[in-house]
Amino acid sequence: MSKRIKVAIVGVGNCAKSLVEGIQYYIENPDDKVGLMYPDIGGYTVNDIEFVCGFDVDIRKVNHPLKDALRAQPNCAMDHVFEITEACVSPDAIVYSGPELDGIAPHMLDYPEEVSFRTGAIPAESFDRVVQLLQYHKVDVVINYLPVGSEEATKFYVDACLKAGCHFINCIPTLIDYEVAQEVEQRFIDAGLTIVGSDMRSGWGASRLSEVLQGAMLDSGLMVTQHIQMNMAAGTTQGQENIRTGRTANTDFLNMAKEYRLESKHISKENVLKGQNIVRDEAIAGMTLYAGPSLTVLQKPGGQYVGSDNKIANLDIVAYGFGGARYELTARLSVQDSPNSGSVVVSAIRFCKVASEMGIVGYLRGASAWTQKSPPLQMLTEDAKYECDMLANRQYTDLTEQQKSENRPKAKKLSYTFNKAVLDY
């Protein structure tokens, strides 16, 4: 067992900042386990994760040390530590210039530079050069933190990972069509690699809350006829309450301000809602199940532009139960968005490493269902947790037994939820 997991980050944004700083926080505060779902996964702790390089297109990040780029504009996530050190970042970790492809939506360049992207870095590394860099840094796991809508850019890095021999965590809503996912999975199986995806959910965010509430109601015999989840970026990033000005949505929300850019996210978030019906064989026809990144806010011109990493989700649920009695539930959840996602990715990294050491290949179905909105196989919450618990203890389950490399698994014969990358209406 190698005691160091070397990680590369594609898209050095807010989520990357929170993940790296959060890991450093736990290294510096070893007695604090709050927020870690799995302090230990198969013998690996946060101390065993090392970030060795990054890829981005923003001129303020490319060619800079990774630890400096993580705090460059437009990143606005909270600071977990006073300064980023080499506790979990390699001293020679640099951010390289990645290909832009479809990673930058044109409208992002129209927003103020304090809160949005600025391209113009040196020409992008070629495909072969990216592969060489991954191999040079001996990368185990690549994390895809590209902006939502980066379909072509995702394919680029998937291909690079496969050629370089890296595991892949797909934190954005790409590869969600089951036919596409099966094709990609077979390539990872053939390469002897693992993949977790797609579209990360937060440790305790809107998707987790929706899933748990929906599942609990269905398990109680209720019929959920309406579940609407509305999200918005609003409020103040933790630690920045002293800045007396309005707030602009973070780059994740700004990127999805145009409808064409958020379609895949809309599909993925609704997969969470209907997924709990699907795994219980409960009908969704005629039901109102809607979730979406629904409100992007921007400050009025002329003031100080400050990004907000705070996210608010409002849920409205209607259900019917015993003797036709009506139930209504309204909930509001306000969270620091990027740290909330870091709490699941810190587990996904180690699940990939442990699974590979156990000879498991392809999509990690339990880890994907627990950490992602659109996994290859939707599960009951407790079943996804069971799969993760077993993997954390290096024990096989019926699902993972099928995925041992020695069994030469075929993706099309493995369990799938038949997600399509289109809206239901």
Side-chain angles (χ1 to χ4, degrees), residues 52-101:
V52 295
C53 65
F55 295 89
D56 207 284
V57 299
D58 196 299
I59 196 169
R60 296 162 292 186
K61 298 176 181 179
V62 170
N63 285 336
H64 290 277
L66 177 60
K67 64 184 183 66
D68 295 336
L70 288 164
R71 288 198 170 177
Q73 287 182 337
N75 291 4
C76 61
M78 66 178 284
D79 294 338
H80 298 269
V81 293
F82 179 71
E83 66 176 337
I84 302 174
T85 68
E86 296 174 3
C88 62
V89 178
S90 174
D92 63 347
I94 295 292
V95 177
Y96 298 105
S97 180
E100 188 171 319
L101 299 174

Short mmCIF file of all heavy atoms in Angstrom, two decimals, residues 52-101:
data_model
loop_
_atom_site.label_atom_id
_atom_site.label_comp_id
_atom_site.label_asym_id
_atom_site.label_seq_id
_atom_site.Cartn_x
_atom_site.Cartn_y
_atom_site.Cartn_z
N VAL A 52 -0.39 17.76 -6.35
CA VAL A 52 0.90 17.89 -7.03
C VAL A 52 0.87 18.81 -8.24
O VAL A 52 1.94 19.24 -8.70
CB VAL A 52 1.42 16.50 -7.43
CG1 VAL A 52 1.71 15.66 -6.19
CG2 VAL A 52 0.43 15.77 -8.34
N CYS A 53 -0.30 19.14 -8.78
CA CYS A 53 -0.37 20.08 -9.89
C CYS A 53 -1.82 20.47 -10.16
O CYS A 53 -2.75 19.85 -9.62
CB CYS A 53 0.26 19.52 -11.17
SG CYS A 53 -0.59 18.09 -11.88
N GLY A 54 -1.99 21.48 -10.97
CA GLY A 54 -3.33 21.92 -11.36
C GLY A 54 -3.34 22.33 -12.82
O GLY A 54 -2.29 22.54 -13.43
N PHE A 55 -4.54 22.44 -13.37
CA PHE A 55 -4.73 22.93 -14.74
C PHE A 55 -5.85 23.96 -14.73
O PHE A 55 -6.90 23.74 -14.12
CB PHE A 55 -5.09 21.78 -15.69
CG PHE A 55 -4.01 20.75 -15.85
CD1 PHE A 55 -3.93 19.66 -14.99
CD2 PHE A 55 -3.07 20.88 -16.85
CE1 PHE A 55 -2.93 18.72 -15.12
CE2 PHE A 55 -2.05 19.94 -17.00
CZ PHE A 55 -1.98 18.85 -16.13
N ASP A 56 -5.63 25.09 -15.39
CA ASP A 56 -6.61 26.15 -15.43
C ASP A 56 -6.37 26.99 -16.69
O ASP A 56 -5.43 26.71 -17.45
CB ASP A 56 -6.52 27.02 -14.17
CG ASP A 56 -7.83 27.69 -13.80
OD1 ASP A 56 -8.20 28.68 -14.49
OD2 ASP A 56 -8.51 27.25 -12.86
N VAL A 57 -7.23 27.99 -16.91
CA VAL A 57 -7.07 28.87 -18.08
C VAL A 57 -6.98 30.34 -17.66
O VAL A 57 -6.69 31.20 -18.49
CB VAL A 57 -8.23 28.70 -19.09
CG1 VAL A 57 -8.28 27.28 -19.61
CG2 VAL A 57 -9.57 29.10 -18.47
N ASP A 58 -7.22 30.63 -16.39
CA ASP A 58 -7.24 32.02 -15.92
C ASP A 58 -5.81 32.54 -15.80
O ASP A 58 -4.94 31.91 -15.18
CB ASP A 58 -7.95 32.11 -14.57
CG ASP A 58 -8.35 33.53 -14.22
OD1 ASP A 58 -7.45 34.38 -14.10
OD2 ASP A 58 -9.56 33.80 -14.07
N ILE A 59 -5.58 33.71 -16.37
CA ILE A 59 -4.24 34.28 -16.40
C ILE A 59 -3.69 34.57 -15.00
O ILE A 59 -2.48 34.66 -14.79
CB ILE A 59 -4.24 35.58 -17.26
CG1 ILE A 59 -2.82 35.98 -17.63
CG2 ILE A 59 -4.98 36.71 -16.54
CD1 ILE A 59 -2.76 37.07 -18.68
N ARG A 60 -4.56 34.71 -14.01
CA ARG A 60 -4.13 34.98 -12.65
C ARG A 60 -3.72 33.71 -11.90
O ARG A 60 -3.21 33.78 -10.77
CB ARG A 60 -5.25 35.69 -11.89
CG ARG A 60 -5.60 37.06 -12.45
CD ARG A 60 -6.95 37.57 -11.99
NE ARG A 60 -8.05 36.79 -12.54
CZ ARG A 60 -9.34 37.10 -12.38
NH1 ARG A 60 -9.66 38.18 -11.68
NH2 ARG A 60 -10.28 36.35 -12.91
N LYS A 61 -3.91 32.55 -12.54
CA LYS A 61 -3.59 31.27 -11.89
C LYS A 61 -2.53 30.47 -12.63
O LYS A 61 -1.69 29.81 -12.01
CB LYS A 61 -4.88 30.44 -11.75
CG LYS A 61 -5.93 31.11 -10.87
CD LYS A 61 -7.23 30.33 -10.82
CE LYS A 61 -8.25 31.05 -9.95
NZ LYS A 61 -9.56 30.34 -9.89
N VAL A 62 -2.58 30.50 -13.97
CA VAL A 62 -1.65 29.72 -14.78
C VAL A 62 -0.22 30.20 -14.54
O VAL A 62 0.05 31.40 -14.46
CB VAL A 62 -2.02 29.83 -16.27
CG1 VAL A 62 -0.92 29.24 -17.15
CG2 VAL A 62 -3.35 29.13 -16.53
N ASN A 63 0.69 29.21 -14.41
CA ASN A 63 2.12 29.46 -14.18
C ASN A 63 2.42 29.97 -12.79
O ASN A 63 3.54 30.41 -12.51
CB ASN A 63 2.72 30.41 -15.23
CG ASN A 63 2.93 29.73 -16.57
OD1 ASN A 63 3.05 28.51 -16.63
ND2 ASN A 63 2.94 30.50 -17.63
N HIS A 64 1.44 29.92 -11.91
CA HIS A 64 1.67 30.29 -10.52
C HIS A 64 1.69 29.03 -9.66
O HIS A 64 1.10 28.00 -10.02
CB HIS A 64 0.56 31.22 -10.02
CG HIS A 64 0.60 32.59 -10.63
ND1 HIS A 64 1.41 33.59 -10.15
CD2 HIS A 64 -0.06 33.12 -11.69
CE1 HIS A 64 1.25 34.68 -10.87
NE2 HIS A 64 0.36 34.42 -11.82
N PRO A 65 2.37 29.07 -8.52
CA PRO A 65 2.31 27.93 -7.60
C PRO A 65 0.85 27.63 -7.23
O PRO A 65 0.05 28.56 -7.05
CB PRO A 65 3.10 28.41 -6.38
CG PRO A 65 4.03 29.45 -6.92
CD PRO A 65 3.26 30.14 -8.02
N LEU A 66 0.54 26.38 -7.11
CA LEU A 66 -0.84 25.99 -6.81
C LEU A 66 -1.35 26.65 -5.54
O LEU A 66 -2.49 27.12 -5.49
CB LEU A 66 -0.93 24.46 -6.70
CG LEU A 66 -2.29 23.88 -6.32
CD1 LEU A 66 -3.37 24.25 -7.34
CD2 LEU A 66 -2.21 22.36 -6.17
N LYS A 67 -0.50 26.71 -4.52
CA LYS A 67 -0.97 27.27 -3.24
C LYS A 67 -1.32 28.76 -3.37
O LYS A 67 -2.17 29.26 -2.64
CB LYS A 67 0.06 27.05 -2.14
CG LYS A 67 1.38 27.73 -2.32
CD LYS A 67 2.35 27.34 -1.20
CE LYS A 67 3.68 28.05 -1.31
NZ LYS A 67 3.56 29.50 -1.10
N ASP A 68 -0.68 29.47 -4.31
CA ASP A 68 -1.02 30.87 -4.54
C ASP A 68 -2.25 31.00 -5.43
O ASP A 68 -3.12 31.86 -5.20
CB ASP A 68 0.15 31.60 -5.19
CG ASP A 68 1.38 31.66 -4.30
OD1 ASP A 68 1.22 31.57 -3.06
OD2 ASP A 68 2.50 31.79 -4.83
N ALA A 69 -2.35 30.15 -6.43
CA ALA A 69 -3.48 30.21 -7.36
C ALA A 69 -4.80 29.93 -6.66
O ALA A 69 -5.84 30.48 -7.04
CB ALA A 69 -3.27 29.19 -8.49
N LEU A 70 -4.77 29.12 -5.63
CA LEU A 70 -6.01 28.78 -4.92
C LEU A 70 -6.64 30.00 -4.26
O LEU A 70 -7.85 30.02 -4.02
CB LEU A 70 -5.72 27.71 -3.87
CG LEU A 70 -5.44 26.30 -4.42
CD1 LEU A 70 -4.79 25.43 -3.35
CD2 LEU A 70 -6.72 25.66 -4.93
N ARG A 71 -5.83 31.03 -3.99
CA ARG A 71 -6.37 32.24 -3.35
C ARG A 71 -6.41 33.43 -4.31
O ARG A 71 -6.62 34.56 -3.89
CB ARG A 71 -5.56 32.57 -2.10
CG ARG A 71 -5.85 31.60 -0.96
CD ARG A 71 -5.44 32.11 0.38
NE ARG A 71 -5.94 31.26 1.45
CZ ARG A 71 -5.69 31.43 2.74
NH1 ARG A 71 -4.93 32.46 3.12
NH2 ARG A 71 -6.19 30.63 3.65
N ALA A 72 -6.22 33.17 -5.59
CA ALA A 72 -6.30 34.23 -6.58
C ALA A 72 -7.76 34.50 -6.94
O ALA A 72 -8.63 33.63 -6.79
CB ALA A 72 -5.52 33.84 -7.83
N GLN A 73 -8.05 35.72 -7.39
CA GLN A 73 -9.40 36.01 -7.88
C GLN A 73 -9.72 35.12 -9.07
O GLN A 73 -8.82 34.72 -9.82
CB GLN A 73 -9.49 37.48 -8.30
CG GLN A 73 -9.50 38.44 -7.14
CD GLN A 73 -9.64 39.89 -7.60
OE1 GLN A 73 -9.33 40.23 -8.74
NE2 GLN A 73 -10.10 40.75 -6.70
N PRO A 74 -10.99 34.75 -9.21
CA PRO A 74 -12.17 35.22 -8.50
C PRO A 74 -12.60 34.33 -7.34
O PRO A 74 -13.74 34.41 -6.89
CB PRO A 74 -13.23 35.19 -9.60
CG PRO A 74 -12.85 33.98 -10.41
CD PRO A 74 -11.35 33.96 -10.41
N ASN A 75 -11.70 33.46 -6.84
CA ASN A 75 -12.07 32.57 -5.75
C ASN A 75 -12.52 33.37 -4.53
O ASN A 75 -11.88 34.36 -4.15
CB ASN A 75 -10.89 31.67 -5.38
CG ASN A 75 -10.57 30.66 -6.46
OD1 ASN A 75 -11.19 30.67 -7.53
ND2 ASN A 75 -9.63 29.78 -6.20
N CYS A 76 -13.63 32.94 -3.94
CA CYS A 76 -14.20 33.70 -2.82
C CYS A 76 -14.64 32.79 -1.67
O CYS A 76 -15.32 33.24 -0.76
CB CYS A 76 -15.38 34.55 -3.29
SG CYS A 76 -16.76 33.60 -3.99
N ALA A 77 -14.26 31.51 -1.73
CA ALA A 77 -14.62 30.61 -0.63
C ALA A 77 -13.89 31.03 0.65
O ALA A 77 -12.85 31.69 0.61
CB ALA A 77 -14.25 29.17 -1.00
N MET A 78 -14.43 30.63 1.77
CA MET A 78 -13.85 31.00 3.06
C MET A 78 -12.44 30.46 3.22
O MET A 78 -12.04 29.49 2.58
CB MET A 78 -14.73 30.47 4.20
CG MET A 78 -14.77 28.95 4.30
SD MET A 78 -15.76 28.33 5.67
CE MET A 78 -14.67 28.65 7.05
N ASP A 79 -11.65 31.12 4.07
CA ASP A 79 -10.32 30.64 4.42
C ASP A 79 -10.44 29.68 5.60
O ASP A 79 -10.95 30.05 6.66
CB ASP A 79 -9.40 31.80 4.81
CG ASP A 79 -9.11 32.73 3.64
OD1 ASP A 79 -9.26 32.30 2.48
OD2 ASP A 79 -8.74 33.91 3.89
N HIS A 80 -9.95 28.47 5.43
CA HIS A 80 -9.96 27.49 6.53
C HIS A 80 -8.69 27.58 7.36
O HIS A 80 -8.66 27.14 8.51
CB HIS A 80 -10.08 26.07 5.97
CG HIS A 80 -11.36 25.83 5.23
ND1 HIS A 80 -12.50 25.35 5.84
CD2 HIS A 80 -11.68 26.00 3.93
CE1 HIS A 80 -13.46 25.23 4.94
NE2 HIS A 80 -12.99 25.62 3.77
N VAL A 81 -7.63 28.12 6.76
CA VAL A 81 -6.33 28.25 7.43
C VAL A 81 -5.80 29.66 7.16
O VAL A 81 -6.25 30.34 6.24
CB VAL A 81 -5.34 27.19 6.92
CG1 VAL A 81 -5.78 25.80 7.34
CG2 VAL A 81 -5.17 27.25 5.40
N PHE A 82 -4.82 30.06 7.96
CA PHE A 82 -4.26 31.41 7.81
C PHE A 82 -3.57 31.57 6.46
O PHE A 82 -3.76 32.54 5.75
CB PHE A 82 -3.29 31.72 8.95
CG PHE A 82 -2.67 33.08 8.86
CD1 PHE A 82 -3.42 34.22 9.10
CD2 PHE A 82 -1.33 33.22 8.49
CE1 PHE A 82 -2.85 35.49 8.99
CE2 PHE A 82 -0.75 34.48 8.40
CZ PHE A 82 -1.52 35.61 8.64
N GLU A 83 -2.77 30.60 6.09
CA GLU A 83 -2.13 30.59 4.78
C GLU A 83 -1.96 29.14 4.33
O GLU A 83 -1.85 28.22 5.15
CB GLU A 83 -0.78 31.30 4.80
CG GLU A 83 0.29 30.62 5.64
CD GLU A 83 1.64 31.32 5.54
OE1 GLU A 83 1.86 32.02 4.54
OE2 GLU A 83 2.45 31.15 6.47
N ILE A 84 -1.96 28.94 3.02
CA ILE A 84 -1.79 27.59 2.48
C ILE A 84 -0.31 27.26 2.49
O ILE A 84 0.52 28.01 1.96
CB ILE A 84 -2.35 27.50 1.05
CG1 ILE A 84 -3.83 27.89 1.05
CG2 ILE A 84 -2.18 26.09 0.50
CD1 ILE A 84 -4.45 27.97 -0.34
N THR A 85 0.03 26.15 3.10
CA THR A 85 1.42 25.73 3.23
C THR A 85 1.65 24.46 2.41
O THR A 85 0.81 24.06 1.59
CB THR A 85 1.75 25.46 4.71
OG1 THR A 85 1.02 24.30 5.15
CG2 THR A 85 1.37 26.65 5.59
N GLU A 86 2.77 23.81 2.67
CA GLU A 86 3.09 22.56 1.99
C GLU A 86 2.63 21.35 2.77
O GLU A 86 3.10 20.23 2.54
CB GLU A 86 4.59 22.50 1.72
CG GLU A 86 5.06 23.59 0.76
CD GLU A 86 6.57 23.65 0.58
OE1 GLU A 86 7.25 22.78 1.17
OE2 GLU A 86 7.05 24.53 -0.14
N ALA A 87 1.67 21.56 3.70
CA ALA A 87 1.16 20.44 4.49
C ALA A 87 0.56 19.36 3.59
O ALA A 87 0.72 18.17 3.84
CB ALA A 87 0.12 20.93 5.49
N CYS A 88 -0.16 19.79 2.54
CA CYS A 88 -0.74 18.81 1.61
C CYS A 88 -0.53 19.23 0.16
O CYS A 88 -1.07 18.60 -0.76
CB CYS A 88 -2.22 18.59 1.89
SG CYS A 88 -3.24 20.06 1.69
N VAL A 89 0.23 20.30 -0.07
CA VAL A 89 0.54 20.76 -1.42
C VAL A 89 2.03 20.56 -1.68
O VAL A 89 2.87 21.05 -0.91
CB VAL A 89 0.18 22.25 -1.60
CG1 VAL A 89 0.54 22.72 -3.00
CG2 VAL A 89 -1.31 22.47 -1.34
N SER A 90 2.34 19.86 -2.75
CA SER A 90 3.74 19.62 -3.09
C SER A 90 4.45 20.95 -3.32
O SER A 90 3.89 21.88 -3.91
CB SER A 90 3.82 18.77 -4.35
OG SER A 90 5.15 18.62 -4.78
N PRO A 91 5.71 21.08 -2.87
CA PRO A 91 6.43 22.34 -3.02
C PRO A 91 6.63 22.76 -4.48
O PRO A 91 6.82 23.95 -4.77
CB PRO A 91 7.78 22.07 -2.33
CG PRO A 91 7.87 20.59 -2.17
CD PRO A 91 6.48 20.09 -2.10
N ASP A 92 6.58 21.80 -5.41
CA ASP A 92 6.75 22.16 -6.82
C ASP A 92 5.44 22.10 -7.59
O ASP A 92 5.43 22.06 -8.82
CB ASP A 92 7.78 21.24 -7.49
CG ASP A 92 7.36 19.78 -7.51
OD1 ASP A 92 6.40 19.44 -6.80
OD2 ASP A 92 7.99 19.00 -8.26
N ALA A 93 4.32 22.14 -6.88
CA ALA A 93 3.00 22.09 -7.53
C ALA A 93 2.71 23.40 -8.25
O ALA A 93 2.62 24.46 -7.63
CB ALA A 93 1.90 21.79 -6.51
N ILE A 94 2.56 23.32 -9.57
CA ILE A 94 2.32 24.47 -10.43
C ILE A 94 0.97 24.31 -11.13
O ILE A 94 0.51 23.19 -11.35
CB ILE A 94 3.44 24.60 -11.49
CG1 ILE A 94 4.78 24.88 -10.82
CG2 ILE A 94 3.13 25.69 -12.52
CD1 ILE A 94 4.88 26.23 -10.16
N VAL A 95 0.35 25.42 -11.48
CA VAL A 95 -0.86 25.37 -12.29
C VAL A 95 -0.45 25.54 -13.75
O VAL A 95 0.14 26.56 -14.12
CB VAL A 95 -1.86 26.48 -11.89
CG1 VAL A 95 -3.09 26.45 -12.81
CG2 VAL A 95 -2.29 26.31 -10.44
N TYR A 96 -0.77 24.54 -14.55
CA TYR A 96 -0.42 24.56 -15.97
C TYR A 96 -1.59 25.11 -16.79
O TYR A 96 -2.74 25.13 -16.35
CB TYR A 96 -0.08 23.15 -16.45
CG TYR A 96 1.11 22.55 -15.76
CD1 TYR A 96 0.95 21.56 -14.78
CD2 TYR A 96 2.40 22.96 -16.07
CE1 TYR A 96 2.05 21.00 -14.13
CE2 TYR A 96 3.50 22.40 -15.43
CZ TYR A 96 3.32 21.42 -14.46
OH TYR A 96 4.41 20.88 -13.82
N SER A 97 -1.27 25.54 -17.99
CA SER A 97 -2.28 26.10 -18.88
C SER A 97 -3.02 24.99 -19.60
O SER A 97 -2.45 24.27 -20.43
CB SER A 97 -1.61 27.02 -19.91
OG SER A 97 -2.56 27.57 -20.78
N GLY A 98 -4.28 24.82 -19.26
CA GLY A 98 -5.10 23.80 -19.91
C GLY A 98 -5.78 24.34 -21.15
O GLY A 98 -5.86 25.56 -21.35
N PRO A 99 -6.30 23.47 -22.00
CA PRO A 99 -7.03 23.93 -23.18
C PRO A 99 -8.36 24.54 -22.77
O PRO A 99 -9.02 24.04 -21.87
CB PRO A 99 -7.22 22.65 -24.00
CG PRO A 99 -7.24 21.57 -22.97
CD PRO A 99 -6.28 21.99 -21.90
N GLU A 100 -8.75 25.62 -23.43
CA GLU A 100 -10.01 26.27 -23.06
C GLU A 100 -11.21 25.47 -23.52
O GLU A 100 -12.17 25.28 -22.77
CB GLU A 100 -10.05 27.68 -23.66
CG GLU A 100 -11.23 28.49 -23.18
CD GLU A 100 -11.12 29.94 -23.64
OE1 GLU A 100 -10.01 30.50 -23.60
OE2 GLU A 100 -12.16 30.50 -24.03
N LEU A 101 -11.20 25.01 -24.77
CA LEU A 101 -12.30 24.23 -25.33
C LEU A 101 -13.63 24.90 -24.99
O LEU A 101 -13.83 26.07 -25.28
CB LEU A 101 -12.22 22.78 -24.86
CG LEU A 101 -10.93 22.04 -25.27
CD1 LEU A 101 -10.86 20.66 -24.63
CD2 LEU A 101 -10.82 21.95 -26.78
#
